[in-house]
Amino acid sequence: MAAVTPPAIQLEHVTKTFGSVHAVRGVDLTINVGEVVAVLGPNGAGKTTTLDMVLGLSQPTAGTVTIAGASPRAAVDAGHVAAITQTGGLLNDITAADHVRLIAALFGVGRARADAVIQVTGLGDFGKRRVQSLSGGEKQRVKFAMALVSDPSLLILDEPTTGMDVGARRDFWRDIHAQAAEGRTVVFATHYLEEADEFADRVVLIDHGQVIADGTTAEIRSLVAGRVVTADLDSAEAAQAAATALGALGRATVQGPQISVQCRDSDAVVKQLFATTAAHDVLVTAQGLEEAFLALTGAAADGSEVKP
Amino acid sequence: MSHGLNLAYTGLEVRRTLKKAVTLFFCFAMPIGFYLAFGAAFGDQPAGTGNVDAVILALMGLYGSCMTTTTAAIGVAMERPLGWNRQLRLTPLRPWAYVATKLVAGLVAAFCAVLVLYVVGVIRHAAEMPGAVWALTFVLAWLGGLTFSGIGLFIAMLCRGDTATAVAVPVLMICAVLSGCFQLPLSGAFFDTAQRIVPMGGPVRLIMARFGPDALVADGWDWANTIGWIVLGLAAAIWAFARDTQRQ
């Protein structure tokens, strides 16, 4: 009989409040072993707060968090989970190699392991330099090496490419993908839609402390892949009437005599516009990913949930 | 896996503290400079079983020791904005062990600060005191620094970054003046009382008493001052630490 593998991460009804601020409001989330998951959301959505609870850096106000069936603290102690944070987490006055060796000593895995990680992560080139003199990309590489020391099965990355240039960003993700290919579960927070789209198998969209969409990248894409139809009408009243009539086909907004409809079937919208109104200067554009993202997070502000 | 004190981390912290202490004027350079200057000026006057040069040597050792333990403790305030304690919390090391590492590193570095000063004293060959007094004043100067391990950690946990230095250094300076550590020509009821109360006052008197009753007679109050400030400082640091960790 095959043993049931517990999920890499399980959050059950997790909430976190800071005084009167509800940072996380009832998140249920299961991430299975080997998944590469992007936690996507605007700044202040509750991404970091959620990941901090996964890492045991803070305690949920209510609900439970388990990592491979154990508590976050136990998982950290055992080296099963490691993290790369957005900024900081390094001492300026010691070398890159010192950092890696220190983490190895704290986990009790020995200097040989530290040196192997330094080798694998390409820290050799600047390992003897003090962190102070390293670039943003090099610093993230040091943290990447520190995260690998304990050979974790789960890697948590909190907006890891903030402040990196394009080249460093590409190299960083190439390395992370190599780690995922070895079977490590990777969960990363980002507010770059492209990053989620390009590097994750699954996207969890978070806004206002809630999960508002959860699916494969393809599902999320289909959810947000839409078009925008804009048209001019003769008067604001006519535009308003058209918006009401088109409500069934998409999200219609009116600005003066201009109507704009976010929709999936732009043909149907255009047909109806020409059939029932005096619309002119009709324009159909593909909805950008950013706009779709804004549309989704905007929808969540109304309290509705979008299901793929 | 180490939850508690870790040899490699403590070693690294000793190295870092020493580097900081050497570059910081207050820990090594200033006590040596003061010893050389004051010693040359008043050193040959007798003081109990020794001479004034020896008294200044021991008191400057105490001052250097306090400055060095403070420097190590302030590291806690400097590293928090860097996210270093967050990083350590992703390892088996417990938060209390991080703080304890700073305390131990401070004490080891303080030992080095007193040692270097005493080596300068031996080379200068002007300090006169019996062999036992060399040893006893060394230990008192060194361990007197514990007073500021606790006070320094307490300040470091209440203030962030450079603010902690801006608070701790003046506090230490005022204590050094009022405790009589600088042997400034201050007298009168106010200074006599102040010396008995302020941190460092106890260790200063305990050191001077090693030179015999002709120099000074220490009493139970001096031990109470010394041990009291060490215990109070550490207790305050533990309180601030607990308050800090409860917020998470």
Side-chain angles (χ1 to χ4, degrees):
Chain A
M1 199 173 76
V4 179
T5 314
I9 301 177
Q10 181 134 41
L11 281 84
E12 289 173 300
H13 320 302
V14 171
T15 62
K16 179 72 180 177
T17 53
F18 299 100
S20 61
V21 180
H22 299 272
V24 176
R25 322 168 176 227
V27 167
D28 288 289
L29 187 62
T30 303
I31 291 172
N32 291 310
V33 173
E35 281 190 294
V36 178
V37 180
V39 176
L40 178 67
N43 288 325
K47 304 187 297 286
T48 299
T49 310
T50 304
L51 294 186
D52 275 2
M53 289 187 283
V54 169
L55 292 167
L57 291 172
S58 69
Q59 302 300 318
T61 309
T64 55
V65 180
T66 52
I67 295 182
S71 75
R73 187 64 247 177
V76 166
D77 280 351
H80 290 152
V81 56
I84 301 175
T85 50
Q86 193 174 353
T87 52
L90 299 173
L91 298 174
N92 288 324
D93 58 330
I94 63 172
T95 69
D98 282 339
H99 279 91
V100 181
R101 295 198 181 112
L102 171 62
I103 299 298
L106 292 176
F107 276 108
V109 294
R111 196 169 166 126
R113 170 71 188 161
D115 290 341
V117 169
I118 289 170
Q119 187 87 43
V120 167
T121 52
L123 233 59
D125 306 336
F126 53 84
K128 290 196 175 76
R129 274 166 55 198
R130 285 204 257 160
V131 163
Q132 212 164 2
S133 66
L134 301 181
S135 71
E138 287 168 334
K139 283 181 186 170
Q140 285 309 80
R141 189 159 286 275
V142 177
K143 288 202 265 179
F144 176 55
M146 288 162 83
L148 290 186
V149 164
S150 68
D151 196 15
S153 53
L154 170 63
L155 272 176
I156 306 279
L157 320 171
D158 188 4
E159 306 202 5
T161 59
T162 304
M164 278 191 200
D165 60 37
V166 178
R169 188 171 291 202
R170 194 187 49 224
D171 291 350
F172 181 83
W173 283 114
R174 190 196 54 218
D175 291 341
I176 293 296
H177 260 249
Q179 296 304 321
E182 288 180 20
R184 296 190 215 272
T185 311
V186 177
V187 177
F188 65 96
T190 181
H191 60 265
Y192 297 117
L193 205 77
E194 291 82 358
E195 215 164 65
D197 189 43
E198 201 171 337
F199 301 110
D201 309 326
R202 177 180 160 197
V203 178
V204 175
L205 200 58
I206 286 189
D207 196 28
H208 299 285
Q210 288 173 312
V211 175
I212 55 170
D214 180 352
T216 63
T217 39
E219 283 169 335
I220 296 285
R221 276 181 81 83
S222 75
L223 186 70
V224 299
R227 301 217 173 122
V228 180
V229 179
T230 53
D232 287 342
L233 283 102
D234 296 330
S235 66
E237 291 74 31
Q240 194 61 56
T244 312
L246 290 166
L249 292 172
R251 266 167 65 94
T253 47
V254 174
Q255 197 164 27
Q258 194 182 57
I259 179 171
S260 147
V261 186
Q262 279 176 354
C263 57
R264 290 196 201 191
D265 188 353
S266 53
D267 292 345
V269 172
V270 173
K271 269 183 202 156
Q272 191 173 333
L273 267 177
F274 283 136
T276 60
T277 68
H280 54 93
D281 290 312
V282 175
L283 195 66
V284 179
T285 50
Q287 184 167 250
L289 285 171
E290 286 301 331
E291 287 137 22
F293 174 45
L294 288 174
L296 274 175
T297 51
D302 310 334
S304 55
E305 182 160 352
V306 188
K307 286 266 183 222
Chain B
M1 190 199 296
S2 23
H3 294 307
L5 283 179
N6 174 278
L7 193 63
Y9 186 39
T10 309
L12 178 76
E13 280 301 316
V14 169
R15 255 169 53 209
R16 293 182 67 220
T17 309
L18 276 176
K19 205 183 277 177
K20 252 185 264 170
V22 170
T23 33
L24 264 179
F25 170 74
F26 293 114
C27 303
F28 279 72
M30 184 172 153
I32 293 173
F34 275 26
Y35 164 63
L36 294 176
F38 293 151
F42 319 105
D44 48 5
Q45 293 165 34
T49 55
N51 65 358
V52 169
D53 194 278
V55 172
I56 294 172
L57 178 70
L59 291 182
M60 283 301 105
L62 172 66
Y63 173 79
S65 174
C66 288
M67 266 297 175
T68 309
T69 55
T70 305
T71 301
I74 291 300
V76 173
M78 305 301 261
E79 287 167 8
R80 192 176 319 152
L82 297 175
W84 180 244
N85 48 351
R86 243 174 97 87
Q87 183 72 262
L88 288 180
R89 283 175 60 205
L90 298 175
T91 74
L93 192 80
R94 293 292 178 263
W96 67 261
Y98 165 65
V99 178
T101 301
K102 292 287 181 194
L103 192 146
V104 172
L107 271 187
V108 175
F111 182 87
C112 299
V114 182
L115 186 66
V116 168
L117 181 68
Y118 268 57
V119 167
V120 171
V122 169
I123 293 169
R124 204 168 97 91
H125 210 66
E128 284 169 18
M129 50 184 153
V133 178
W134 276 96
L136 283 171
T137 55
F138 185 102
V139 172
L140 282 170
W142 171 43
L143 293 181
L146 264 175
T147 321
F148 278 88
S149 294
I151 295 171
L153 284 171
F154 175 62
I155 292 171
M157 276 178 240
L158 292 188
C159 310
R160 277 179 148 246
D162 290 329
T163 316
T165 315
V167 173
V169 172
V171 165
L172 203 154
M173 284 294 189
I174 291 166
C175 290
V177 170
L178 293 181
S179 67
C181 192
F182 289 144
Q183 291 287 288
L184 299 171
L186 303 168
S187 55
F190 171 74
F191 287 104
D192 289 347
T193 312
Q195 184 185 44
R196 290 307 194 102
I197 294 169
V198 297
M200 249 162 119
V204 164
R205 289 176 56 89
L206 289 177
I207 285 172
M208 295 193 49
R210 292 317 106 194
F211 292 87
D214 289 349
L216 190 136
V217 179
D219 52 28
W221 181 253
D222 296 319
W223 285 105
N225 173 299
T226 305
I227 293 163
W229 277 113
I230 292 173
V231 171
L232 197 67
L234 291 174
I238 289 167
W239 170 80
F241 173 76
R243 199 187 68 142
D244 222 34
T245 40
Q246 266 165 17
R247 285 202 193 133
Q248 280 123 27

